[in-house]
Amino acid sequence: MTHISILKDKHIVLGVTGSIACYKSIDLASKLTQAGALVDVILTDGAEKFVTPLTFQAVTGRPVYTDMWKTDGADSLPTHIAHVGLGEDADLLAIIPATANTLAKLAYGLADNLLSVTALASRAPIVIAPAMDAGMYQHPTVQGNIARLLERGGLLIPPEEGRFASGLVGVGRLPETPTLIGHIRRIIGRDGELASQKVVISAGGTREAIDPVRFISNRSSGKQGHALAQAAVDAGAREVVLVTTSDLPVPVGVHPIYVESAQDMLHAILHHSADADLLIMAAAVADFKPQNRAEQKIKKENTDKNLTLELGRTADILVEVKAQREQSGYPRMVVGFAAESENVLSNARAKLIRKGLDLLVANDITADDAGFSVDTNRVVILDTDGNMDELALSSKVIISERIIARAAMMLGGE
Ligand code: CTP
């Protein structure tokens, strides 16, 4: 795992309580640290039965706290007033996993160990990830305690359904690290520069059916669009809709709409951008589709030696969006991409005008290290005033963050 901008230098207090799932917290603490966060771990007595402070110390490179009364030694608390020191400057108090016992303590304000005292003293947002076996999660008492915590502004990472350590199956499993990190980045980013904005993003190459088994498509992987969706969540967008043809993972906090053809994508984009603040069309939409889709599989014995396909034009989604926007004012802002193999800038400029865009991200698809399928890209961002922002070769993640920051600045400045 590499650095994650939204987590860099963030101070996360990770409370680990006594569930078998606390083995997953070791990986979580490690990945958060690798992402650039400062992770201070508090273990309860129950957690120490499963995992040791040394393990967490090794992966975070920081002292691990277990004892409310300890005031000397390397792992003593950061100030002489124990419960103030840890939570004081935290960006987040994450209790992962949270047992039924700790949830009850938090719900009723008990303060009998370092974690529960820190939870009372800290003014940082608190997120809980309940994990418990044998249907305990559904018990009305547990549900009541969780509801109490949520009413007071606590945040929940819902447990998943699956097999428990006991062999029973039900709801109560702690999600895996990528999901946990997805929730954490959404919470940390929630007051970001896109807070209160609805963002719609398209991703991947469309597939135009020839018959029930064959289609025409292109080399787009969807990586840039999915990275943009994550960057929009990190920037605090209130709603992120990702209209995608790709089976890449969908970031936590993103609502995916799966489509196949340019026509499906057109309907989904027009529908979801009708009240959106920002639309980013990162998809490689087919310009042509088979004129007649065969109802049954085309059999080779029924055709001549060669098969000739007649292709017709698809709708230009951005041109349709432009018409919708002229009528309703929505989406408030539109960003397009331009995949060019020659005369990149002049073609891109013409596209910016023709498609009624506010920003256009142009890339040269002939470069090996940029464009389709690879993890990196090299783009130029053009605006309607003739400004050009040339970004050096970077990961699609970094490029997405730059695009989102630029769009957010423009939306904010309207
Ligand atoms: N696009 C679209 N509808 C299409 C084709 C493309 O909305 N039918 C969008 C893409 O998502 C992208 C932008 O238009 O944001 C430019 O796509 P690109 O493939 O570079 O351009 P085309 O419009 O297809 O023009 P050309 O093939 O002539 O380069």
Side-chain angles (χ1 to χ4, degrees), residues 42-43 48 64-71 75 77 82 114:
I42 302 176
L43 295 182
E48 277 195 90
V64 170
Y65 305 99
T66 54
D67 187 346
M68 187 155 62
W69 310 110
K70 191 157 183 181
T71 52
D75 58 347
L77 290 151
L114 183 57

Side-chain angles (χ1 to χ4, degrees), residues 194 224 228 231 278 280 282 333 335-337 359-362 377 379 381 389 391 396-410:
L194 276 183
Q224 186 71 70
L228 279 161
L278 172 62
I280 308 181
M333 186 178 169
V335 179
F337 273 69
L359 288 178
L360 185 134
V361 184
N377 213 348
V379 302
I381 304 179
D389 188 5
L391 311 189
K396 287 184 174 171
V397 170
I398 299 288
I399 291 198
S400 299
E401 289 169 358
R402 293 285 293 273
I403 295 167
I404 289 288
R406 180 79 191 273
M409 205 173 71
M410 287 173 70

Side-chain angles (χ1 to χ4, degrees), residues 281 283 285-287 314-318 336-340 351 355:
M281 280 293 295
V285 186
D287 295 320
T314 57
D316 190 315
I317 299 176
L318 279 174
F337 273 69
E340 303 294 347
K351 246 172 223 178
K355 301 199 181 213

Side-chain angles (χ1 to χ4, degrees), residues 145 266 408:
N145 289 340
L266 171 70

